[in-house]
Amino acid sequence: MSIEPQSQKGYYLQGVTQRLYQVLPKKLHDHMDAWMTEIAPVTGAKSYGSGGMTLYWMKYTAVFDFERFPFTEFDPQVLFANVMAWLYDHDLYRDDHGLDSPTFDNEAETDRTSTVSIEIEFIEPVDIVLDPQGVIDYMGQKWTLAPHKEWAAEHGDIAVGSH
């Protein structure tokens, strides 16, 4: 699976999709659909001083739907556990923004298959970087949608002095 632009599929939706593809048998990949719904912008611009910034936040619900899921061959709890593990490892903003817990539904279709649905509320930054050819005009400059490079200090000095 290639990474699509954030506006087409949120990065977090793509991350969970990739995790599920890793754990699902290949023959089940065609049973899964994933999409974004309830997309809403949340204000909160922040400059990082490195030629990039978060312009706003994108809040959305990621929906994962599996039809004809063979629950007798593959335990749906493995899906749910992998989703939760992925969230604990990668969702940096869930607690800070008070997002709801994911919902999981497993509804029997036959004695061997079910419809499995997973819904996850996400919020993620929409970042822009300076770009003379960019199509976004903001603060008198041109910008492009792209993750910015975060700069972090690698060294620091502490000076302790006496009065």
Side-chain angles (χ1 to χ4, degrees):
M1 175 182 175
S2 63
I3 300 295
E4 297 181 42
Q6 184 180 27
S7 58
Q8 293 176 14
K9 279 197 173 178
Y11 295 135
Y12 280 180
L13 180 145
Q14 292 180 68
V16 172
T17 300
Q18 288 177 343
R19 170 66 60 89
L20 293 176
Y21 280 163
Q22 289 169 353
V23 299
L24 280 170
K26 190 149 180 73
K27 69 180 184 176
L28 297 183
H29 290 191
D30 290 339
H31 292 252
M32 184 176 80
D33 287 318
W35 66 91
M36 296 168 66
T37 185
E38 300 177 29
I39 303 164
V42 177
T43 58
K46 181 178 178 182
S47 176
Y48 293 99
S50 59
M53 67 180 304
T54 294
L55 185 59
Y56 65 95
W57 293 79
M58 180 172 59
K59 188 174 184 179
Y60 63 95
T61 300
V63 179
F64 301 87
D65 194 45
F66 302 83
E67 293 183 357
R68 299 175 320 278
F69 189 85
F71 66 86
T72 58
E73 296 174 36
F74 192 90
D75 186 351
Q77 284 294 354
V78 172
L79 291 178
F80 304 156
N82 272 281
V83 166
M84 295 306 295
W86 189 94
L87 291 175
Y88 292 139
D89 285 345
H90 300 283
D91 190 348
L92 307 174
Y93 311 109
R94 177 162 298 285
D95 293 336
D96 292 344
H97 291 272
L99 300 180
D100 291 334
S101 295
T103 60
F104 303 107
D105 188 36
N106 185 14
E107 188 174 317
E109 295 174 339
T110 71
D111 61 346
R112 301 184 64 74
T113 64
S114 64
T115 298
V116 175
S117 297
I118 303 170
E119 291 190 14
I120 309 167
E121 188 178 27
F122 283 123
I123 191 164
E124 58 189 60
V126 175
D127 296 332
I128 57 176
V129 294
L130 284 171
D131 178 0
Q133 308 305 314
V135 295
I136 299 167
D137 291 314
Y138 180 58
M139 299 183 345
Q141 296 178 320
K142 297 283 192 177
W143 303 78
T144 295
L145 287 171
H148 65 275
K149 293 179 182 169
E150 291 190 30
W151 293 357
E154 294 180 12
H155 305 287
D157 295 321
I158 298 176
V160 178
S162 61
H163 299 295

